[in-house]
Amino acid sequence: MKLHEAEDIYDVILPIYILSKILGLAPFTIAKKILKPHFNPLTLVHILLVIGGMCYNAYLVETLEQQQKMVALALKCELYLGTLMTFTVLTLAIINQKLLIECVEKIDEIDMNMKNINIKINYKNSRRFVSVQIIFITCVFLLKVVLQFFMHSAARLSMYTAFNVFDYINTIMLFQYVDLLLLIRQRFIWMNRRLRQLNNYTDYFEKLTIPLTPIVSDTDTKKYPIRTKLDSELILNNLAAIYVKLCQLSRLVNRTYGIQILVTVGSRFVMITTQLINTYNIIGDPRFDSPIRYTLTFIYLFLHSSKIFMIASLSENTAAKVGCYNFC
């Protein structure tokens, strides 16, 4: 499907859904743009294989002789915390799949409500962002694999490659959360823009004669019947109802990904600390004076710190958009 053919939220999430499905992060199915919970025994086998691979790599780390204790500590930290994160995200992907389905369906419902009050929804840019996001992070991980190919022996290379796969799984889970927040933030921006425009709608109301379907309850629908002309009172009531739904969606997303984000952020802080200490030791040891090693260390630090910054920055920014008006 081409980017310009994105017509709804299901087209927007399609790239990350396909990748998540392959990695075991989206056990549900999409059939004719209808999401259905699904549990396949192969999903459980996939989790066991991943955790088994992590345990095998833990055995390899314990048996390999390390040239420096800090290097070994950093490696074990990446491994054990990576195992914890991977097990958490894969298990909760199965447990919380109904909540994730509800998140997507609520976004689709909100989009329909926004279209009813003539707010234009741009799916093409959202779809493009999701696709570019996946391509970028995949290229970064491929770069890590290539650099490690020149740094390690065959035994170590297979071990580090496994690390990259597990970290990639955790990263895609994080992108699921980030993409949902970005979609929510985008809709709050559109809503805030419409509210700011209300003061300038006097002439606009006289010219526009498109029918409007209110999204309020049946009781309120009788109070605000379908009209042939938009008025500010009806728009405000519809905007308020949409704001409440967006706030409910935000809380649902937090409920769906709360534990995963907690484990991820806590683990990344520890990983950053060990990598910084490891970097200090590498710089002071002439045996490790290698541009490739420095580049790899920088990539590790960049990936860990950028994920924490991305979560904190986006969450704060989205909360700021919600706080513009006190509908929630």
Side-chain angles (χ1 to χ4, degrees):
M1 183 177 292
K2 297 181 181 180
L3 291 178
H4 63 79
E5 293 179 349
E7 298 177 350
D8 53 31
I9 189 63
Y10 300 101
D11 293 335
V12 172
I13 67 171
L14 185 60
I16 195 167
Y17 166 75
I18 294 174
L19 185 56
S20 298
K21 188 74 173 178
I22 296 172
L23 298 176
L25 294 170
F28 54 88
T29 59
I30 297 181
K32 297 181 180 180
K33 299 185 179 180
I34 298 177
L35 281 66
K36 296 181 179 179
H38 179 71
F39 178 77
N40 193 313
L42 291 177
T43 305
L44 182 60
V45 173
H46 174 263
I47 295 177
L48 294 176
L49 286 175
V50 170
I51 301 304
M54 296 289 281
C55 293
Y56 177 71
N57 277 277
Y59 170 77
L60 291 179
V61 170
E62 295 295 341
T63 55
L64 286 175
E65 183 177 347
Q66 300 289 346
Q67 292 178 299
Q68 194 180 63
K69 290 183 179 180
M70 196 59 223
V71 175
L73 177 60
L75 191 61
K76 291 177 182 179
C77 180
E78 296 276 344
L79 172 65
Y80 299 141
L81 292 177
T83 303
L84 175 63
M85 288 191 296
T86 304
F87 177 77
T88 301
V89 301
L90 289 177
T91 302
L92 290 178
I94 298 175
I95 297 174
N96 292 340
Q97 59 176 310
K98 290 184 178 180
L99 294 177
L100 183 54
I101 290 173
E102 187 177 352
C103 290
V104 177
E105 291 176 342
K106 279 185 175 294
I107 294 177
D108 187 49
E109 178 186 353
I110 289 170
D111 287 352
M112 294 299 297
N113 298 155
M114 296 180 77
K115 290 177 182 177
N116 285 338
I117 54 174
N118 303 306
I119 295 179
K120 185 178 179 181
I121 309 295
N122 190 333
Y123 295 110
K124 181 180 177 181
N125 291 340
S126 299
R127 171 74 176 274
R128 182 184 290 113
F129 175 83
V130 172
S131 301
V132 171
Q133 178 190 61
I134 293 174
I135 293 172
F136 171 76
I137 197 63
T138 301
C139 290
V140 172
F141 274 89
L142 288 176
L143 176 62
K144 283 177 60 181
V145 173
V146 171
L147 291 176
Q148 288 167 348
F149 177 79
F150 294 102
M151 278 290 300
H152 305 291
S153 62
R156 290 176 180 266
L157 183 61
S158 62
M159 181 175 60
Y160 278 99
T161 301
F163 288 170
N164 290 330
V165 173
F166 305 143
D167 193 25
Y168 188 70
I169 292 175
N170 294 319
T171 303
I172 297 304
M173 179 281 302
L174 186 61
F175 279 177
Q176 289 180 348
Y177 174 73
V178 167
D179 289 341
L180 285 172
L181 278 189
L182 284 172
L183 290 170
I184 294 172
R185 176 181 175 274
Q186 186 181 50
R187 280 144 184 79
F188 273 118
I189 291 175
W190 291 335
M191 297 284 293
N192 293 335
R193 185 181 302 155
R194 174 52 60 91
L195 283 169
R196 287 193 296 268
Q197 293 172 347
L198 280 179
N199 290 333
N200 303 322
Y201 271 1
T202 304
D203 296 332
Y204 177 73
F205 291 147
E206 298 299 325
K207 299 176 183 179
L208 189 60
T209 58
I210 299 175
L212 171 69
T213 303
I215 61 167
V216 290
S217 65
D218 293 338
T219 303
D220 291 327
T221 301
K222 296 177 182 178
K223 184 177 179 180
Y224 303 104
I226 299 176
R227 306 177 183 182
T228 58
K229 203 180 271 191
L230 292 174
D231 62 19
S232 58
E233 184 180 12
L234 184 56
I235 287 182
L236 282 172
N237 277 280
N238 279 272
L239 287 176
I242 295 174
Y243 257 99
V244 171
K245 289 187 177 183
L246 282 171
C247 292
Q248 293 172 346
L249 173 60
S250 302
R251 288 189 286 267
L252 183 62
V253 170
N254 288 335
R255 180 184 171 191
T256 305
Y257 288 96
I259 297 177
Q260 296 96 308
I261 298 302
L262 174 64
V263 173
T264 296
V265 172
S267 300
R268 299 291 176 185
F269 269 119
V270 178
M271 289 178 177
I272 290 173
T273 303
T274 55
Q275 284 295 340
L276 287 173
I277 298 174
N278 184 36
T279 302
Y280 175 79
N281 283 271
I282 289 175
I283 293 174
D285 194 332
R287 294 176 300 171
F288 298 100
D289 188 14
S290 167
I292 296 180
R293 185 179 293 276
Y294 291 151
T295 303
L296 274 173
T297 304
F298 171 77
I299 292 176
Y300 275 110
L301 288 172
F302 169 75
L303 287 174
H304 294 326
S305 58
S306 62
K307 290 168 186 174
I308 294 177
F309 175 79
M310 183 169 53
I311 293 173
S313 176
L314 185 57
S315 299
E316 190 278 334
N317 193 272
T318 304
K321 299 301 179 185
V322 179
C324 287
Y325 297 93
N326 190 25
F327 284 124
C328 299

